[in-house]
Amino acid sequence: MTPPLRLEPDRVVSTVCPYCGVGCRVDLYVKNERVYRVMAHGGPPNYGALCVKGRFGLGFLHHPDRLTTPLIRRRKGGELEPVGWREALDFAAERLAWVAAKHGPDSLYFISSAKATNEANYLMQKLARAAVGTHNVDHCARLCHSSSTAALSRSLGSAAMSNTIEEIPLSDVILVTGSNTVETHPVIGAMIKKAARNGAYLIVADPRRVGLAESAHLWLRLKPGSDPVLFGAMARWLVESGHYDRAFVEERAEGFDEWWASVREYTLEFAESATGVPAEKIRAAAERYAAAGAAAIYWAMGITQHSHGVANVQALVNLAVLAGQLGKPGSGLNPLRGQNNVQGAGDMGALPNVYPGYQPTANAAVRERWGRLWGTPQPETAGITMTEALESIGRPGGVRAVYLMGEDPVTSEPYQEHVRAALAQLDFLVVQDILKNETYPYADVVLPAASFAEKNGTFTNTDRRVQLLRPVFEPPGRARPDVWILARMGTRLARLLNRGSAASWEYPNAAAVWEEVRRAAPEMFGGISHARLEHENLRWPCASESSPGVSVLFTDGFATPSGRARLLPAPWNPPAEQPGGEYPLLLSTGRVLYHWHGGALSRRSALSEAYPTLKVEVNPADAERYGVRDGAAVWLVSRRGRIRAVAWVTERAPEGVVFAPIHFAEEAANRLTNNAYDPVSKIPEYKAAAVRLEPA
Ligand code: SF4
């Protein structure tokens, strides 16, 4: 029973919203060990604003599905049975060590979590690299912004937002593409709408009529998958018409000739036919963007989740460099990160190719340095991505055991039946989480973890702001913080596999882990301590205790070896699966305001009442063509499966496209999606699968 709002709280605790990458600061009001009210804390990054998820979405904290005791399955096909922590940790460590000893360290895979703290992510990658000796570690950025990371890293040398959300009011022009910002990052969406009301020129490039399109001065409704042509044509027109920033390009960029040759065919007329956007609008968008004193680009998964996601992001990078819209307040390239700590998970090295602080594993000197720090030699073999790891299960030399923290691949990976079949073939699976999920039935060991409200540590939001969590209450039952669990697992695996000393796994608390992060990556985090975060707003890079960190990146130079931004070709390839024949429509998947990703949290809260069932957006012309009424039950069918949903007949979806939210595990959109991957980032193509629509 929810207590009335006028209750006098037992305590009010300031912490960070666990949902999206905006990282809103929240005050949790607690009575009788239950959160009964959530208010915005005031100050950055949300300045008193919250969305429905932060305000009404915390019911999961007290849900009966919380995992409260360790469980083990003693033999395949047996039941999960409750045990004490010591037995569960010994059981898991011994079996993981056995697989590593028999099949080699690369037969293990560690999936870290963008919902876990920085400190937990640091320990997860240390578990892989130090205790086991493999670079096989990754997290869900593989599924959302790995395309951004790949393109930004190679062109600019850094993959984070180059500017900050506090600078939104400083932008004269804001270009938003592939982001339904008002629903997925609502507080940033509201900031952008306010900036547009106050005089900023808002350009939205999106096939769907997303919320921001209503506020846009210019809406470019491009055909799905034609992004590189649109942005390539804008950049080409700037050069052809002399509107580009020649001085910026000559002083601070390289690769112009190769890039120019790659966009020769992208005339405005060609772009109009390829994208469906009138040439006049493309020209106007380009000139507005380039002429602005400060122009910022924001994007999300509508750009990245394609089998050519890296090219999409590269086209945006090229446009920003040619217009000279980098290195000054209110400008920049700003990938909006999804999960609350997806930025931090990458920063902490929960990726197969970099240590914490984005230090490359391919560099022998870097490996030697980390080997010295951890007292154990570092593997030379490159790690593989999460998507490659799941594909490898059951194949000779493939992954045989997985340690999963705060992830649910059955819900989040494309082509669900394929994922289920792979998980069933594993020798051993550890699931460490706060709630039961769709992957839980495949677990051999379940380790119950503390939620964001039951532990210390830090999250890093989408604009590099590191923020302190504060425990609100004790974890339920025998659940424990991730850091507590991982440190004990590290001790055991290091001893069993004879790698490094058990002493290097002694961490009395999360702050002790963070101190190791500061020493290991001093240029990024050296100046940030838990003590400072108690009363200061800090973002990385922050090398010294006297600095608040850097807001605008690339003011003096880029973080590439030459210090220059690299212009690179962004080739246009259509989606891997084209609509036609039995499957005449294109499916795009994504999020809605009331829910979050696989729905594990939001659907165990009051938000479930506000948005209880799966609704798919269908254009009126398609509805008429396929005999579908608004509000009627329909089947969506792809080559890989079918799901049942309610039709929402709306102009939001363009003709030929249906949009399905991803939050409903029982009718999972990923039963339909295609496991085609970008060749560089290995991101799945969640935004384009061929489907048909049938009345149900
Ligand atoms: Fe939480 Fe994001 Fe909503 Fe802020 S905008 S309250 S961080 S979900």
Side-chain angles (χ1 to χ4, degrees):
M1 194 67 172
T2 307
L5 285 180
R6 295 234 178 96
L7 266 185
E8 196 56 34
D10 294 337
R11 58 190 180 279
V12 179
V13 183
S14 171
T15 186
V16 183
C17 175
Y19 278 102
C20 89
V22 182
C24 293
R25 291 216 65 95
V26 289
D27 287 339
L28 304 190
Y29 287 63
V30 180
K31 187 80 178 173
N32 299 331
E33 297 309 302
R34 292 179 80 87
V35 175
Y36 71 93
R37 186 182 192 195
V38 182
M39 299 294 285
H41 182 65
N46 47 316
Y47 299 98
L50 285 182
C51 81
V52 288
K53 289 184 283 286
R55 205 178 282 281
F56 302 113
L58 302 191
F60 68 86
L61 288 171
H62 311 298
H63 197 277
D65 283 351
R66 283 295 302 270
L67 297 167
T68 57
T69 193
L71 305 166
I72 65 172
R73 199 188 307 276
R74 293 185 192 278
R75 54 183 169 71
K76 287 285 177 195
E79 294 294 312
L80 283 168
E81 60 181 87
V83 292
W85 269 108
R86 188 183 296 271
E87 186 175 356
L89 290 167
D90 286 346
F91 183 84
E94 282 163 14
R95 275 152 184 80
L96 289 170
W98 184 85
V99 175
K102 186 159 192 286
H103 300 286
D106 292 334
S107 64
L108 266 56
Y109 206 85
F110 295 81
I111 299 181
S112 203
S113 175
K115 298 216 87 62
T117 60
N118 287 323
E119 291 77 3
N121 277 286
Y122 177 83
L123 289 191
M124 190 66 161
Q125 60 85 38
K126 181 176 175 181
L127 199 63
R129 294 183 165 118
V132 173
T134 177
H135 292 299
N136 278 352
V137 59
D138 208 347
H139 70 286
C140 69
R142 184 68 47 207
L143 311 180
C144 61
H145 267 294
S146 55
S147 303
S148 305
T149 304
L152 290 168
S153 298
R154 68 189 188 184
S155 273
L156 310 181
S158 171
M161 277 178 64
S162 65
N163 292 61
T164 68
I165 57 180
E166 282 149 279
E167 295 165 49
I168 289 172
L170 306 179
S171 302
D172 304 304
V173 169
I174 300 173
L175 166 57
V176 181
T177 181
S179 165
N180 183 7
T181 323
V182 295
E183 296 196 55
T184 58
H185 300 79
V187 166
I188 293 179
M191 288 177 177
I192 291 174
K193 282 167 96 169
K194 185 173 175 187
R197 283 198 303 276
N198 289 343
Y201 190 82
L202 177 59
I203 304 167
V204 171
D206 206 301
R208 288 173 71 216
R209 189 154 72 194
V210 291
L212 276 184
E214 308 286 344
S215 307
H217 300 92
L218 191 56
W219 175 32
L220 312 177
R221 192 172 211 179
L222 71 165
K223 292 179 191 167
S226 63
D227 314 70
V229 184
L230 176 67
F231 302 120
M234 285 170 68
R236 185 190 186 283
W237 172 253
L238 293 181
V239 174
E240 188 183 353
S241 63
H243 285 88
Y244 81 116
D245 190 335
R246 180 188 286 266
F248 187 93
V249 172
E250 286 179 355
E251 286 165 23
R252 302 196 54 188
E254 60 192 12
F256 180 88
D257 291 343
E258 188 191 0
W259 166 79
W260 178 243
S262 74
V263 293
R264 280 213 178 273
E265 68 172 319
Y266 291 174
T267 61
L268 294 179
E269 296 69 32
F270 174 81
E272 177 170 326
S273 70
T275 67
V277 179
E280 200 46 37
K281 284 191 173 185
I282 300 173
R283 186 188 61 75
E287 291 179 4
R288 281 276 186 176
Y289 174 74
I297 301 178
Y298 294 86
W299 74 93
M301 290 180 273
I303 285 291
T304 59
Q305 287 179 333
H306 290 272
S307 57
H308 51 271
V310 175
N312 288 352
V313 180
Q314 188 65 53
L316 293 172
V317 174
N318 294 339
L319 179 62
V321 171
L322 286 156
Q325 294 291 4
L326 282 158
K328 54 189 177 183
S331 70
L333 286 160
N334 301 297
L336 292 171
R337 309 306 300 264
Q339 300 274 17
N340 54 334
N341 197 37
V342 69
Q343 181 65 53
D347 299 344
M348 293 299 113
L351 291 165
N353 60 335
V354 289
Y355 287 100
Y358 300 98
Q359 300 168 32
T361 57
N363 183 317
V366 169
R367 289 198 304 272
E368 200 179 310
R369 187 172 159 272
W370 282 92
R372 275 200 308 278
L373 178 75
W374 288 333
T376 183
Q378 286 299 286
E380 290 180 20
T381 314
I384 58 174
T385 64
M386 183 161 83
T387 39
E388 289 171 314
L390 291 169
E391 291 291 332
S392 81
I393 295 169
R395 294 184 186 159
V399 165
R400 305 184 71 105
V402 173
Y403 191 135
L404 204 58
M405 175 171 73
E407 263 294 324
D408 182 12
V410 170
T411 305
S412 59
E413 293 284 325
Y415 192 0
Q416 189 178 82
E417 284 316 303
H418 187 64
V419 176
R420 286 186 188 278
L423 291 173
Q425 291 183 70
L426 282 174
D427 289 352
F428 195 67
L429 174 65
V430 179
V431 168
Q432 179 171 314
D433 214 318
I434 67 168
L435 286 156
K436 287 180 188 164
N437 59 32
E438 297 298 303
T439 306
Y440 168 92
Y442 299 88
D444 297 290
V445 172
V446 176
L447 304 176
S451 77
F452 83 102
E454 297 147 6
K455 62 190 174 193
N456 291 106
T458 53
F459 290 153
T460 304
N461 83 340
T462 189
D463 69 355
R464 298 174 274 116
R465 181 186 297 274
V466 184
Q467 304 194 95
L468 204 57
L469 295 182
R470 293 188 180 85
V472 183
F473 27 59
E474 291 295 313
R478 289 197 244 164
R480 292 288 181 272
D482 294 310
V483 163
W484 185 96
I485 302 169
L486 292 167
R488 279 155 184 77
M489 189 67 78
T491 307
R492 285 165 169 78
L493 281 172
R495 178 172 45 76
L496 289 165
L497 293 168
N498 199 22
R499 288 186 55 86
S501 76
S504 82
W505 287 94
E506 283 172 13
Y507 299 101
N509 49 39
V513 180
W514 183 260
E515 287 304 305
E516 188 170 310
V517 174
R518 291 177 71 190
R519 286 195 301 278
E523 287 179 8
M524 275 178 72
F525 305 113
I528 301 176
S529 66
H530 278 205
R532 282 189 80 191
L533 290 171
E534 284 285 357
H535 50 85
E536 287 185 74
N537 291 302
L538 304 173
R539 61 166 55 89
W540 68 258
C542 177
S544 107
E545 295 236 16
S546 58
S547 162
V550 177
S551 294
V552 182
L553 299 183
F554 315 133
T555 49
D556 299 326
F558 292 95
T560 53
S562 66
R564 289 168 168 258
R566 291 177 68 200
L567 292 163
L568 287 165
W572 175 44
N573 293 298
E577 197 173 65
Q578 294 291 324
E582 279 185 69
Y583 304 98
L585 297 166
L586 199 69
L587 169 72
S588 178
T589 65
R591 291 170 280 173
V592 300
L593 175 65
Y594 291 95
H595 287 297
W596 190 248
H597 285 248
L601 306 186
S602 59
R603 293 191 65 210
R604 290 178 171 103
S605 77
L607 297 172
S608 218
E609 292 167 36
Y611 196 114
T613 50
L614 175 65
K615 282 193 284 192
V616 295
E617 295 175 11
V618 182
N619 183 273
D622 293 321
E624 190 171 335
R625 192 169 295 128
Y626 301 108
V628 166
R629 281 182 298 104
D630 186 45
V634 292
W635 288 107
L636 267 185
V637 188
S638 82
R639 290 182 174 87
R640 292 156 291 278
R642 58 169 50 211
I643 59 173
R644 191 183 160 102
V646 171
W648 176 18
V649 178
T650 169
E651 295 281 357
R652 278 166 64 104
E655 191 173 345
V657 175
V658 286
F659 172 82
I662 57 174
H663 317 294
F664 295 84
E666 66 279 16
E667 299 294 349
N670 279 329
R671 255 183 246 160
L672 311 180
T673 47
N674 189 7
N675 59 342
Y677 302 112
D678 181 286
V680 178
S681 68
K682 312 293 182 192
I683 202 168
E685 187 150 68
Y686 293 110
K687 297 292 190 245
V691 294
R692 70 169 175 266
L693 193 61
E694 296 172 356

